[in-house]
Amino acid sequence: MKKSMLCGLGISVFMVAVVFVSASAQAAETIKIGVCEPLSGTFKDIGERYLEGVEYAVKVINEQGGLLGRKVEVIPIDSELKPDVASRKATKLILKDNVRYFCGGTGSSVGGAMSVLAEKNNALMLSYGMAAASLTGEKCSRNFFRACLNTDTQSYALAMWVANSGYKKVLGIAQDYSFGHEAVEAFMKKVKELNPSIEIVGKLFHKAGEKDFAPYVSQIISSGAEVVWTPNWGNDLTLLIKQGKNLGMKAKIASYFLNDEYLIESVADDSAIIGNVTAEAYMLTIPGEENRKFIEGFYKDKGYYPSWLRGKAYTATMFWAEALKKAGKDDTNAVIKAWEGLTYEGPAGTWYMRPCDHQAQIPVWVAIMVKDSEFYKHAFVGKPTMIPAKDIEITCEETGCKMK
Amino acid sequence: MINQRSFAQFLGWGIFVLIVGVVLPLGVRQYQVALLTEIIIFALFAVSYNLLLGYAGLLSFGHAMFFGVGAYTVAIVLNHISGLSFFGAVMISVMVTTVAGFAVGSLLLRHKGVPFALLTLAFNALFYAIATKWHSITGGDDGLSIRLPDINLGFAHLKTGDITVFYYITLLIIGSVILFCWYFTRTAMGQTVLLVRENEERMKFVGYNTNVSRLILFVFTGFLAGLAGSFYTLHYQFTSISAISIDMSTIVVLMVIIGGTGSFIGPILGACVYIYLQDFLSDITDRWPFIMGLIFIFMILYVPRGLSGLIDSFGERLRGRWHLRSSVEMEE
């Protein structure tokens, strides 16, 4: 009896300590934005680049006097790329520090969980990289905004390029899991729709993390494919390009993820990169005064260029700031209302937030990889051509979004 | 067996838990209430695991399969059966978990020790693979989100989305089940499990079918983990492959080792410490699992009986001093 009483005493002392020691009051002086990114583990590098983009945007906002007369504060959240971890940490920030704004770019699973959490707590979640179309499709929420392309629009843009390029034989290669299969199917469907004369000469699926692409490359070569479309990312893309080049593959590669100097450096062979094609919402080579000013400012501050993820995160954060300015008050409902239908002129062209599904309608920049770049010593994306948002629009009815 | 003394203890603990549980959320911030809810859910998960490890001596590396099945079932039924009530979803979920427990348990009941541990690991991997691959049902990597139904009791309408309301529902249901587990360890069946652990040959000799005892316990712990899993989904209104991953199986092992396998209270203490430490450490550093690992190694090496063992020995030392003092006083 005494033993259990002692145990009981131990527990009660501990629980009371849990509750009272960690309770701390914080005044809401700044406007806080929580950045959910993988800041540890395999995808740390991706998360950190997105975070840098948001941090730089907030620096610019604060230098211009902040938002609604208040400073903006960035709170990094290490999502560990796990939706439950992101959700738990964000809940803490909402309940303890009254954080109302969140953003993130890595992991559609994290995006899904954050969307639910934002709706539950009347917060706002902004995605500048989570690409699963369903987030603004059947899973759409009034508290979730996406200011980047999604798998559908990005595939559509590359399909347009391929359909109009004059190439006749296309092959798809992807990692053998749902994302790979869906991306290949969506792309092939679009290509056929746009140019029925194009022949699809094969669809290859390999395990994620494949080390030996030789069997796949020989199939590509024997199929006679002129363009290889791939949604591969990370090492699977690097190795496909590297081994393809070594084994004599001549087909052009069309991919979402070539606009990445880290990847180009790891391929370490410019001739394997040059001539391939990529499509993105932001590229360093986008023409225009806005982009030039942004790149200059960022370079002056950090000593390197705001390529790809950094640029995407920066532009989306500035778009969010515009919505807050328009709303005129730090209130989630007012910001949601203000953002719907808002147009923003940024480094990557004119962005418009569609009210029906909160998917920003943004132009896609398509570019061929070229040898000489004003930014890097290695090959990089050339001057891009813009595909207007209207041309790749997927109507609200097609997305399956029923906004509550 | 339940005697009067045990019943008094049972009642005492019940009242204690009720008072602490009811009073604790009053006057604290909402975040602490959410944290307490999580602690209660994981306390049940850890208690169920300790019934296997501490009571039956069965080391399982796959307890998350039941937690995950519970978590996913609740999400799937709430998404697919419109108008399903809160309790209806929980009932279906624990029923499915019980069936899963029976199916897996039937295949495992002849194994003990290392083969048992490895088979549980293999089964966990199987369930994990199903959750990842069966995208159309489980949502794959994206997970499943749910819309939490409110509870209509006729005389009262409970808004389950409210953090405090959900806390009290969890406290009432999970708290009662934890108390029932305590009661179970005192029943003839509970004692049989202990005896099987201590001397299986002898139990067989006196006529017990030890395989059946183990199966019953396995199914029961599966049921408990499934209930914890379903509340985990209801709490977050979301479930993902984390719930059914080997990581989750590791977490429950950590909780039970930190708390101590030797007592009923140990895993509850372990769940409190784990959840709080995780919350506290992840604020300070992104490398918090490293610190958790160090704590785990320290506990194994220097405090093998866990926190509950530490409290016990501290209590015994206090009692020893008290006895010493009273005997000195009597001599004087």
Side-chain angles (χ1 to χ4, degrees):
Chain A
M1 190 76 178
K2 272 179 187 164
K3 191 174 145 188
S4 37
M5 272 179 69
L6 268 169
C7 279
L9 197 69
I11 291 179
S12 53
V13 167
F14 178 78
M15 286 176 95
V16 170
V18 166
V19 170
F20 293 104
V21 171
S22 52
S24 63
Q26 272 195 4
E29 290 152 355
T30 52
I31 294 176
K32 299 181 181 74
I33 180 161
V35 186
C36 304
E37 294 293 351
L39 301 173
S40 59
T42 320
F43 298 99
K44 180 173 183 273
D45 145 60
I46 301 275
E48 281 179 348
R49 281 192 271 171
Y50 274 130
L51 178 62
E52 280 175 21
V54 179
E55 281 174 340
Y56 181 70
V58 167
K59 186 171 182 273
V60 171
I61 294 165
N62 284 338
E63 278 170 3
Q64 291 168 356
L67 287 174
L68 315 171
R70 287 152 67 186
K71 290 276 178 214
V72 181
E73 184 186 342
V74 174
I75 303 179
I77 304 167
D78 180 13
S79 71
E80 299 171 27
L81 209 57
K82 292 176 184 163
D84 53 325
V85 172
S87 201
R88 190 178 56 240
K89 290 182 179 175
T91 304
K92 184 175 183 178
L93 290 173
I94 291 172
L95 298 176
K96 257 178 98 175
D97 302 328
N98 199 27
V99 177
R100 291 282 136 203
Y101 308 102
F102 294 91
C103 59
T106 321
S108 292
S109 54
V110 173
M114 287 301 298
S115 173
V116 173
L117 186 83
E119 193 173 323
K120 184 176 155 191
N121 294 287
N122 200 25
L124 192 149
M125 172 71 190
L126 153 69
S127 163
Y128 39 69
M130 295 150 176
S134 60
L135 288 171
T136 50
E138 62 267 31
K139 289 185 196 162
C140 69
S141 155
R142 73 182 285 272
N143 301 72
F144 183 88
F145 287 78
R146 173 156 48 202
C148 62
L149 299 168
N150 63 43
T151 41
D152 282 352
T153 48
Q154 209 162 2
S155 296
Y156 201 2
L158 277 173
M160 271 182 92
W161 182 86
V162 173
N164 298 323
S165 63
Y167 292 118
K168 289 291 166 215
K169 289 182 171 180
V170 182
L171 178 140
I173 179 165
Q175 294 149 326
D176 189 10
Y177 76 115
S178 51
F179 167 71
H181 281 270
E182 283 166 25
V184 167
E185 288 309 320
F187 174 82
M188 295 302 178
K189 199 174 142 225
K190 290 289 175 205
V191 162
K192 274 299 214 187
E193 253 176 50
L194 295 166
N195 187 349
S197 69
I198 282 182
E199 188 190 346
I200 291 159
V201 292
K203 292 175 193 171
L204 304 176
F205 295 97
H206 58 81
K207 69 173 180 3
E210 179 64 68
K211 294 283 175 285
D212 181 15
F213 279 89
Y216 302 102
V217 172
S218 61
Q219 284 186 65
I220 293 170
I221 295 170
S222 64
S223 72
E226 294 163 300
V227 176
V228 173
W229 146 257
T230 181
N232 277 10
W233 48 273
N235 217 26
D236 283 345
L237 182 57
T238 313
L239 290 181
L240 173 67
I241 297 172
K242 256 185 162 172
Q243 295 181 14
K245 170 75 185 168
N246 291 342
L247 294 166
M249 186 174 88
K250 295 272 180 282
K252 299 282 169 231
I253 292 175
S255 161
Y256 297 164
F257 305 116
L258 286 170
N259 173 30
D260 174 10
E261 71 277 16
Y262 287 49
L263 174 114
I264 297 166
E265 278 162 20
S266 66
V267 169
D269 178 1
D270 280 1
S271 61
I273 296 290
I274 297 164
N276 293 330
V277 65
T278 187
E280 246 308 359
Y282 178 79
M283 290 175 183
L284 284 178
T285 47
I286 292 172
E289 193 54 25
E290 280 287 336
N291 193 30
R292 197 190 55 75
K293 273 200 301 204
F294 162 54
I295 295 171
E296 269 178 22
F298 191 96
Y299 190 82
K300 214 170 140 192
D301 190 47
K302 306 261 188 190
Y304 47 84
Y305 293 109
S307 60
W308 192 33
L309 308 175
R310 300 182 187 114
K312 282 167 74 176
Y314 167 84
T315 316
T317 311
M318 295 306 267
F319 197 7
W320 162 78
E322 287 299 314
L324 222 88
K325 277 186 211 161
K326 188 185 161 196
K329 54 180 172 178
D330 175 21
D331 172 78
T332 315
N333 291 329
V335 176
I336 290 173
K337 216 167 155 230
W339 207 347
E340 288 176 344
L342 183 68
T343 303
Y344 164 65
E345 202 71 49
T350 309
W351 289 17
Y352 164 72
M353 186 55 76
R354 188 161 69 177
C356 63
D357 63 349
H358 294 179
Q359 166 67 57
Q361 300 301 298
I362 58 186
V364 188
W365 299 87
V366 180
I368 312 270
M369 309 302 289
V370 294
K371 185 169 175 288
D372 297 313
S373 157
E374 58 176 299
F375 302 103
Y376 302 104
K377 286 180 182 147
H378 51 71
F380 196 59
V381 283
K383 284 281 169 231
T385 43
M386 187 187 77
I387 299 181
K390 209 76 201 130
D391 292 1
I392 49 157
E393 184 182 4
I394 289 157
T395 62
C396 263
E397 291 71 39
E398 284 175 279
T399 64
C401 168
K402 290 187 184 74
M403 194 75 79
K404 285 165 204 91
Chain B
M1 301 289 158
I2 293 283
N3 55 27
Q4 257 192 335
R5 188 167 161 266
S6 293
F7 188 71
Q9 267 189 351
F10 177 73
L11 212 66
W13 272 110
I15 293 168
F16 168 75
V17 169
L18 200 74
I19 293 171
V20 171
V22 170
V23 172
L24 223 46
L26 303 174
V28 298
R29 296 172 76 110
Q30 288 248 295
Y31 176 66
Q32 261 76 35
V33 182
L35 206 64
L36 284 172
T37 312
E38 200 180 330
I39 287 175
I40 297 170
I41 294 166
F42 275 95
L44 176 65
F45 187 33
V47 162
S48 78
Y49 185 73
N50 193 40
L51 287 178
L52 271 186
L53 180 64
Y55 282 82
L58 293 169
L59 176 64
S60 161
F61 286 130
H63 210 48
M65 65 182 139
F66 302 121
F67 187 83
V69 167
Y72 270 105
T73 311
V74 116
I76 293 165
V77 295
L78 279 173
N79 279 330
H80 287 91
I81 306 173
S82 60
L84 187 68
S85 71
F86 183 97
F87 293 115
V90 174
M91 288 294 282
I92 296 174
S93 166
V94 292
M95 267 156 47
V96 170
T97 323
T98 310
V99 171
F102 184 77
V104 176
S106 312
L107 295 167
L108 293 183
L109 65 101
R110 283 174 212 292
H111 302 280
K112 280 175 293 184
V114 176
F116 178 84
L118 291 179
L119 280 168
T120 51
L121 187 66
F123 270 104
N124 201 147
L126 174 74
F127 277 87
Y128 178 77
I130 294 171
T132 324
K133 297 281 177 190
W134 202 4
H135 198 276
S136 56
I137 298 292
T138 61
D141 283 327
D142 295 346
L144 289 173
S145 50
I146 57 161
R147 218 161 269 282
L148 201 55
D150 286 343
I151 298 173
N152 198 348
L153 296 170
F155 58 91
H157 186 84
L158 302 176
K159 280 204 179 302
T160 47
D162 184 285
I163 291 168
T164 313
V165 171
F166 190 80
Y167 166 81
Y168 282 118
I169 295 167
T170 311
L171 177 72
L172 185 72
I173 297 172
I174 305 274
S176 325
V177 174
I178 292 178
L179 276 179
F180 177 76
C181 291
W182 185 86
Y183 173 81
F184 173 80
T185 60
R186 297 292 197 269
T187 59
M189 178 61 215
Q191 298 290 311
T192 311
V193 172
L194 275 180
L195 294 171
V196 170
R197 183 190 71 188
E198 292 304 319
N199 194 339
E200 185 168 354
E201 288 309 309
R202 192 171 186 158
M203 289 298 284
K204 279 184 184 161
F205 188 72
V206 277
Y208 280 95
N209 186 337
T210 52
N211 283 341
V212 172
S213 302
R214 259 204 301 275
L215 179 64
I216 293 174
L217 182 81
F218 195 78
V219 175
F220 181 57
T221 56
F223 156 84
L224 297 171
L227 181 66
S230 47
F231 269 79
Y232 173 83
T233 300
L234 295 168
H235 176 49
Y236 283 114
Q237 297 184 25
F238 180 81
T239 197
S240 72
I241 46 175
S242 301
I244 203 162
S245 66
I246 309 288
D247 280 2
M248 191 58 92
S249 292
T250 317
I251 287 171
V252 77
V253 177
L254 277 172
M255 284 176 178
V256 172
I257 299 287
I258 290 173
T261 54
S263 73
F264 185 81
I265 295 301
I268 301 175
L269 213 56
C272 289
V273 172
Y274 185 91
I275 301 283
Y276 181 60
L277 268 183
Q278 175 186 271
D279 181 66
F280 177 70
L281 291 175
S282 61
D283 268 0
I284 302 171
T285 169
D286 293 338
R287 310 281 179 277
W288 65 270
F290 174 72
I291 301 173
M292 281 295 200
L294 288 181
I295 293 171
F296 182 69
I297 294 169
F298 178 81
M299 295 299 287
I300 293 275
L301 289 178
Y302 301 106
V303 199
R305 287 169 65 210
L307 290 175
S308 61
L310 206 65
I311 293 173
D312 276 356
S313 51
F314 183 65
E316 273 159 22
R317 197 172 289 179
L318 272 184
R319 268 203 300 277
R321 275 196 191 162
W322 186 76
H323 278 303
L324 196 69
R325 198 185 301 160
S326 39
S327 54
V328 169
E329 276 169 7
M330 276 171 73
E331 273 173 22
E332 279 173 359

